[in-house]
Amino acid sequence: MAAMLDHVIAQVLALQVRLLACRERLAADVDSEALHDLRTSLRRLRSLLRPLRGLPGVEQLEDAARSLGALTTPLRDREVLAAHLIGQGHQQAGARRLEGRAGIFASVAVSRQLTRVLAIIDTFPLFLRACAREGLASGLDKRIDKRLNKQWRKLEKALDDPSHDRHRLRLLIKRVRYGDEAYPQLEHAGNKLQRLLKRTQADLGDWHDRVQWLLLARDHADLAPFKKAWERELHEAEQKADATLEALRAAVARR
């Protein structure tokens, strides 16, 4: 149990450093990956916390991370669309979605959501040590292992459903993938399965992007010219994602 607690605390401290660095990068607008790295760090934090539910401080930190994620989701979606448009040679449409980026990034850096996450995470290791002293963290290894197994069972059940919801599968895949990365010593997925999870997540991400962009095209006149191409890409992405999902279904069943 002590080794697992040390592992969790080490992960929390590493993520704290990454979040602080992301805050400074956002404030200075020094690179285009700051927001993405912030969201990746948040996702890793939430994956680390999910199996710890029930311990003091976990709910508060999870809630803070969820609020920061909600704040940054539309900003990241806009950033991804802008990069796609610019990459396809549509400079004006892409640049329009990056207008005021420096100010937006700076507002995230000083937001109450990020401030709250950093304030809670600063004291979180102390909460965990206190839990250990009070005996509240006993059997931590088994608790985490049980909850990660539950996530895998949910994914397996969803993959076996012929009428599966791609949106839900995308979220479940993220949970098991980042949960496994947060606790590699529990060995829930080997390297081959991890690579397949990553590829499936990416394929579903391509599909999800086109769904979102087509919805935006309804309300943004400058996106209308791209609708036919996105509809074609959506169909292609669906076929590719479904093939990868079938490969993942077979791999998870053998796990």
Side-chain angles (χ1 to χ4, degrees):
M1 188 273 289
M4 180 60 78
L5 187 67
D6 288 344
H7 168 77
V8 171
I9 290 174
Q11 293 295 309
V12 169
L13 293 174
L15 288 167
Q16 180 185 30
V17 171
R18 290 188 61 175
L19 288 169
L20 287 167
C22 288
R23 182 183 65 179
E24 299 309 308
R25 289 162 61 195
L26 286 167
D29 190 22
V30 293
D31 65 90
S32 61
E33 292 299 309
L35 186 64
H36 173 65
D37 289 349
L38 175 75
R39 288 177 54 77
T40 299
S41 297
L42 273 181
R43 197 155 49 231
R44 294 187 186 283
L45 176 62
R46 294 178 69 181
S47 297
L48 186 73
L49 294 173
R50 189 171 286 110
L52 302 176
R53 286 174 180 171
L55 294 179
V58 170
E59 183 179 348
Q60 292 85 344
L61 186 50
E62 270 197 301
D63 182 65
R66 190 180 304 113
S67 295
L68 182 56
L71 172 70
T72 57
T73 293
L75 305 179
R76 178 57 183 167
D77 288 346
R78 190 187 312 168
E79 200 175 42
V80 169
L81 175 55
H84 172 77
L85 291 169
I86 292 171
Q88 294 295 311
H90 307 294
Q91 298 292 331
Q92 189 174 4
R96 187 175 294 119
R97 279 152 186 88
L98 294 177
E99 290 176 355
R101 188 184 73 172
I104 292 170
F105 279 14
S107 70
V108 173
V110 297
S111 67
R112 61 179 178 80
Q113 290 91 338
L114 179 52
T115 301
R116 184 180 174 218
V117 168
L118 291 172
I120 297 174
I121 206 172
D122 190 46
T123 59
F124 192 64
L126 297 177
F127 274 103
L128 293 178
R129 293 296 185 195
C131 287
R133 288 194 298 271
E134 296 297 323
L136 299 176
S138 59
L140 192 60
D141 304 60
K142 291 182 180 179
R143 176 191 302 199
I144 294 170
D145 191 54
K146 181 179 179 180
R147 292 185 178 179
L148 291 181
N149 272 319
K150 186 177 180 180
Q151 291 180 180
W152 278 99
R153 287 195 299 272
K154 283 184 178 180
L155 175 60
E156 185 171 10
K157 184 177 179 180
L159 287 167
D160 284 337
D161 183 356
S163 60
H164 59 246
D165 180 342
R166 292 188 189 91
H167 283 290
R168 182 167 181 265
L169 279 172
R170 182 167 164 265
L171 295 176
L172 291 174
I173 288 167
K174 282 184 178 182
R175 285 186 182 181
V176 298
R177 180 188 165 205
Y178 288 108
D180 183 69
E181 288 183 359
Y183 298 100
Q185 64 271 57
L186 297 179
E187 300 180 338
H188 282 273
N191 291 336
K192 186 175 180 180
L193 183 51
Q194 263 290 346
R195 287 194 297 271
L196 186 52
L197 286 168
K198 185 176 182 179
R199 191 172 82 220
T200 311
Q201 182 182 326
D203 289 349
L204 286 170
D206 289 340
W207 166 81
H208 180 261
D209 285 343
R210 273 66 186 178
V211 171
Q212 295 297 107
W213 298 346
L214 284 167
L215 289 173
L216 284 174
R218 297 177 182 178
D219 301 318
H220 296 263
D222 67 327
L223 297 179
F226 313 122
K227 185 177 177 182
K228 285 187 178 179
W230 288 344
E231 286 174 342
R232 183 184 68 254
E233 291 170 7
L234 176 64
H235 178 65
E236 292 170 353
E238 284 177 349
Q239 292 182 316
K240 185 178 180 182
D242 284 349
T244 316
L245 282 167
E246 178 56 31
L248 180 63
R249 186 195 66 78
V252 171
R254 294 193 301 268
R255 189 178 71 91

